[in-house]
Amino acid sequence: ADESPSPAAAGEKVAYRAGWLADVDNMNPFIGYVSTSYEIWYLTYDALVGYDPATLVPVKGEDSPGLATDWSVSDDGLSWTFTLRQGVTWHDGVPLTAKDVAFTYNCVIDNELENFTSYLQHIDRAVVVDDYTVRFDCSQPKPDMIRHWLPILPEHIWSKVDPKKLARGYANDPPFVGSGPFKCVEWKKRSFVKLVANEDYWGGAPKIDELYFNYYTNADTMVQDLKARTIDGCAGMLPAQMKQLENEPGITARAIYVNGFDELRFNCY
């Protein structure tokens, strides 16, 4: 990827454009399944537990990137209690509380929403203790309670959605309300996704004002646009294309390991 944008002059917006080869399939976290969709959710919603970006260890305290600043588990392992940070608001200014966390988890459990049911296995119920405390009652010990990522959704919006449409029709088209560092304001399918900075983000306003993800059908075209500085970064290149960029001035090419797999499925029903 290209280096981060240089500081903008006074009053000038900082925009960053990234290229990718897979378009978002759906903005609804209960419907979408491709990695690019998850990327948008990571940037626009918060999770209950935050992780250290270098070690992926769950982090407690005010410096945690998650909504929970502390948690504990009962001696029998059947009850987990989380303390939430205060002062978090949704993009529309409504305060985020334990009611939103409990609603999100119970929504998945009650409606058996397949994208996240495997993560929430053995959770019977999320219970609101007070505005900033939520308890999870489990049917058996759940050691992975702090090892899953579920986007916390605003109850005041999603509670109005017909449960039958949660995973079968509700599009969640931009602009939608989250609590994350960016707001998703526009999506033109097979073209681009536009996000803007959430100036009121509890973790501090992002240094980037506008963030664009540009969709490409061809990796060669994407690489050429990177060389021409039409975009500032890209991902998903082939090894040979990475090789082309190793000696390109002003561009850093870095290979990383990803936690994923390729699947070949046969429908033999």
Side-chain angles (χ1 to χ4, degrees):
D2 193 17
E3 296 177 357
S4 299
S6 57
E12 183 181 343
K13 288 184 177 180
V14 175
Y16 191 89
R17 292 171 172 80
W20 60 19
L21 298 171
D23 194 15
V24 171
D25 60 328
N26 201 291
M27 289 292 181
N28 181 340
F30 302 135
I31 298 177
Y33 63 89
V34 298
S35 60
T36 47
S37 300
Y38 280 83
E39 181 67 33
I40 300 301
W41 302 329
Y42 291 152
L43 293 168
T44 55
Y45 293 109
D46 283 309
L48 179 60
V49 176
Y51 305 94
D52 181 287
T55 63
L56 299 184
V57 172
V59 179
K60 293 184 178 182
E62 290 297 326
D63 292 333
S64 170
L67 294 174
T69 57
D70 196 14
W71 56 82
S72 61
V73 60
S74 60
D75 292 339
D76 61 7
L78 298 180
S79 180
W80 286 79
T81 302
F82 290 79
T83 301
L84 307 182
R85 65 177 68 253
Q86 301 185 26
V88 180
T89 60
W90 295 102
H91 293 160
D92 58 4
V94 175
L96 187 157
T97 70
K99 292 181 179 180
D100 297 296
V101 176
F103 165 79
T104 303
Y105 278 77
N106 291 332
C107 184
V108 174
I109 295 168
D110 293 342
N111 297 286
E112 298 181 347
L113 301 174
E114 296 176 357
N115 270 12
F116 300 99
T117 49
S118 61
Y119 294 124
L120 308 193
Q121 189 176 18
H122 306 312
I123 299 177
D124 287 338
R125 205 73 190 157
V127 179
V128 175
V129 177
D130 58 42
D131 282 350
Y132 299 104
T133 309
V134 61
R135 187 184 75 244
F136 296 90
D137 296 330
C138 306
S139 59
Q140 65 183 61
K142 186 172 176 59
D144 66 343
M145 187 68 213
I146 56 174
R147 282 293 184 181
H148 59 254
W149 189 89
L150 172 64
I152 303 303
L153 305 176
E155 181 186 25
H156 65 285
I157 292 175
W158 286 79
S159 62
K160 299 175 183 177
V161 179
D162 182 347
K164 295 179 181 179
K165 295 183 178 180
L166 284 170
R168 297 291 186 275
Y170 181 60
N172 196 36
D173 287 330
F176 56 80
V177 175
S179 62
F182 287 92
K183 303 175 183 180
C184 184
V185 296
E186 188 177 1
W187 174 33
K188 186 174 181 181
K189 196 163 182 62
R190 299 184 67 82
S191 183
F192 69 90
V193 180
K194 178 183 178 182
L195 295 86
V196 298
N198 175 14
E199 300 293 339
D200 299 318
Y201 184 55
W202 58 264
K207 305 300 183 185
I208 295 174
D209 299 302
E210 297 180 346
L211 178 58
Y212 295 86
F213 290 96
N214 294 343
Y215 171 67
Y216 287 85
T217 58
N218 184 288
D220 289 327
T221 303
M222 183 173 68
V223 170
Q224 291 306 314
D225 275 2
L226 178 64
K227 290 181 177 181
R229 303 301 191 269
T230 304
I231 57 176
D232 303 295
C234 60
M237 295 166 288
L238 297 172
Q241 294 164 330
M242 290 284 288
K243 197 76 174 176
Q244 294 177 27
L245 298 173
E246 286 182 353
N247 298 316
E248 188 74 20
I251 294 178
T252 300
R254 183 182 298 119
I256 61 171
Y257 290 102
V258 294
N259 182 17
F261 59 89
D262 294 316
E263 176 182 2
L264 181 62
R265 178 183 298 184
F266 296 92
N267 182 358
C268 301
Y269 182 73

